[in-house]
Every structure is written in structure tokens, then in C-alpha cells.
Amino acid sequence: MTGQANEREPRAGARQARSEQYLDNDLKGQRRWYSTRASAYKTRAQACSFAVIVAGAATSFLQVLPAGWLPASPANWVPVATAAFGALVVLLEGWQRISRYNETWPSYRAASERMKREQRLYVNGAGAYRGTEEEEAYLRFVEAVEAIIAEEQKLYWQGRPDEVSTKTPPNPA
């Protein structure tokens, strides 16, 4: 058993180094980019949603606030404040619709996690990499990672048909 573990460690180490070289150098840190962007988009989506909730609650609260609690006459500033909170809700919801943080971060996270899984399978010689020659295993790994990226890009553009140009490029002939 220990002979088998010692035999596997050098191969796993070489595969680890080769997979990191591919992910970090060839893809310029693509997996890290997906992971970082997923975290940032999730944070932004949650912040926008929380701000909408706070502004909506403040709008309702200001409308029913007893007049004795107000520092000035409600006629002066309550309509302005509720209008401002209402505008804030509309702007935040509009921005969320444009930026699509809630739609994008899960697909980025999934792509990052699938790349991590594929790297673990490759490094450990499991799954599609079991019993394959080194070069064949590496080519399968590259193809699998490229398929993950292509699928994520397809999903990204699938929900954005108005952002993709349908024109064919001019023929340079």
C-alpha cells in the first residue's frame, strides 16, 4: 500500500504542477477570475437587495410616523423623503436588472467549482483520467476545462440576446 502511495505522489505532483501551469499561465488565472467575480457579484447583489428592503421599509415607516416624533412639520420633508426612497428603490432595481448580479454570480461560482473538481480528478488520476497516459490525460483535462468555460459563456450570452451583434462581419475581400 505504501509503495502504491509513493508511486502515485510523484505523478500527482507532476499533474498538479502541469494543471496549475495551464490554469494560471495559459488561461491567465481563469478559475481565480471566476471565483473572485462570483464572490464580488454575490456581495453586490446582496447589498443592492438589502438597500431596496431598507428604502422600501423607510418609505412605509415615514408615512405612518406620528407627527409628535418629527422635528419639523411633516408637510415639509416627508413627501420629499418618501419620494427619494421610492426613487432609490427604482434605481437599485433597475441597476440590478442591468447588471444581472443575481443571474451571473451563480454561473461564475459553478464554473469555478467545476474547474476545481476537474483539476482534482486530473491530479488524482480519477474519473476520465483513470488509467490514461499522461499526455492523453492532460489533453482530456484541457478539453474539459475549455468545455466548462464555453458552457459558462454560452449561458452568459443566452440571457443577453440584445447585447450580441447578429450582423455578419464584412468580407475583407
Side-chain angles (χ1 to χ4, degrees):
M1 188 72 147
T2 58
Q4 193 178 35
N6 289 339
E7 187 177 296
R8 185 170 158 212
E9 286 176 22
R11 188 176 78 182
R15 284 186 172 190
Q16 179 72 29
R18 195 168 187 192
S19 67
E20 286 176 5
Q21 186 272 331
Y22 171 70
L23 290 171
D24 291 341
N25 297 338
D26 296 349
L27 290 180
K28 306 274 189 263
Q30 193 81 19
R31 186 182 56 78
R32 243 187 340 271
W33 183 90
Y34 277 117
S35 182
T36 303
R37 193 60 58 102
S39 295
Y41 278 24
K42 181 180 180 182
T43 300
R44 291 174 191 169
Q46 290 173 336
C48 284
S49 296
F50 183 71
V52 166
I53 292 168
V54 169
T59 301
S60 299
F61 180 74
L62 283 175
Q63 292 299 315
V64 297
L65 192 65
W69 288 20
L70 302 174
S73 171
N76 293 339
W77 63 274
V78 169
V80 173
T82 55
F85 283 130
L88 180 63
V89 167
V90 169
L91 289 171
L92 287 170
E93 285 297 325
W95 178 247
Q96 284 190 68
R97 188 165 178 97
I98 291 169
S99 63
R100 299 178 184 205
Y101 293 135
N102 280 327
E103 297 172 21
T104 306
W105 82 261
S107 66
Y108 284 178
R109 176 64 61 215
S112 173
E113 295 303 319
R114 287 180 62 204
M115 283 185 219
K116 286 180 194 176
R117 180 181 182 274
E118 203 63 43
Q119 185 179 19
R120 285 191 308 270
L121 290 173
Y122 169 69
V123 167
N124 293 300
Y129 310 106
R130 180 176 290 129
T132 58
E133 295 295 321
E134 286 305 309
E135 195 59 30
E136 177 65 24
Y138 179 71
L139 291 175
R140 285 183 187 180
F141 170 68
V142 169
E143 289 171 354
V145 171
E146 292 295 334
I148 292 167
I149 293 170
E151 182 181 335
E152 188 283 320
Q153 289 174 350
K154 182 180 176 185
L155 290 173
Y156 179 87
W157 289 112
Q158 190 175 31
R160 295 164 171 80
D162 54 328
E163 297 175 23
V164 179
S165 175
T166 56
K167 297 179 185 176
T168 56
N171 191 349

